[in-house]
Amino acid sequence: MLYCDLQGGMYVFQLFDYYASNGACRLFISVFESLAMGWVFGADNMFDIIEDMTKTRPNYIFMLCWKYLTPLVSLVSFIGSLVQYKPLTFNRWYVYPNWAYILGWFLTLSSVLLVPGWALVRLIVGKGSLKERWRVLCNPDRILPLSCGQQCETQVLTCSAQVEDTETHL
């Protein structure tokens, strides 16, 4: 980054470090990620995928963590980081000007608002009623590869359909 090589580069670096990559940003994103994984994609689907990869079913505690514990801890930590917020200072004596704080909060919001902003745009632009658009957003893509269990079910259904087909032609 060119600005960090200049005389005031350390001030710019501190601004980016404090606002753009702080814990509050990551915690906010992790709240949405854990809610999406535990509730939208579904912990049951995640269990099936892990079972498909490892051939063993995960412990039920993981489902509790995915659905309840992780979102709750992330949300509490996010709120705690907002409550504990202190304006940025450099070397404990230099106080940044107000425009720098505004710029810092814009840096924070630029990464934080992308996730809900993308969802809102997809909700507005999508086709169908609001309820249908919400369902489309809250379901995994239909073109995902089949798991081993789903492949077996498809083979069984195909074989049984072929057997029925041959029996009707006889």
Side-chain angles (χ1 to χ4, degrees):
M1 201 167 163
L2 177 66
Y3 298 117
C4 292
D5 294 338
L6 301 175
Q7 187 174 4
M10 195 59 193
Y11 296 103
V12 174
F13 176 75
Q14 285 266 210
L15 197 64
F16 272 94
D17 184 51
Y18 193 75
Y19 285 103
S21 64
N22 65 6
C25 292
R26 284 182 250 141
L27 288 169
F28 184 79
I29 298 288
S30 71
V31 169
F32 280 100
E33 283 178 349
S34 59
L35 287 173
M37 209 249 342
W39 293 95
V40 177
F41 180 71
D44 292 329
N45 288 339
M46 195 63 164
F47 263 48
D48 294 340
I49 289 169
I50 291 173
E51 183 178 21
D52 189 44
M53 290 187 290
T54 64
K55 306 296 185 230
T56 58
R57 194 119 176 114
N59 195 326
Y60 186 72
I61 293 171
F62 286 108
M63 183 181 288
L64 295 175
C65 289
W66 292 331
K67 289 179 111 177
Y68 304 107
L69 186 64
T70 303
L72 181 67
V73 168
S74 298
L75 184 64
V76 168
S77 299
F78 171 69
I79 292 170
S81 71
L82 290 180
V83 169
Q84 296 292 325
Y85 169 76
K86 291 181 179 125
L88 175 64
T89 57
F90 184 71
N91 283 343
R92 296 188 194 121
W93 60 270
Y94 177 76
V95 178
Y96 282 81
N98 287 335
W99 64 265
Y101 294 129
I102 293 169
L103 177 64
W105 280 106
F106 275 123
L107 288 171
T108 299
L109 294 176
S110 69
S111 60
V112 166
L113 292 181
L114 285 177
V115 173
W118 176 85
L120 188 62
V121 167
R122 293 292 306 255
L123 201 59
I124 292 169
V125 173
K127 295 177 182 171
S129 68
L130 182 63
K131 188 175 183 180
E132 291 169 348
R133 289 179 282 180
W134 180 254
R135 278 201 180 130
V136 167
L137 281 177
C138 291
N139 284 317
D141 197 357
R142 293 174 191 238
I143 357 176
L144 292 173
L146 295 176
S147 66
C148 289
Q150 292 169 329
Q151 288 175 359
C152 289
E153 288 175 21
T154 305
Q155 287 176 352
V156 167
L157 290 174
T158 305
C159 289
S160 64
Q162 287 174 350
V163 167
E164 288 176 10
D165 229 15
T166 54
E167 287 176 357
T168 56
H169 289 295
L170 295 177

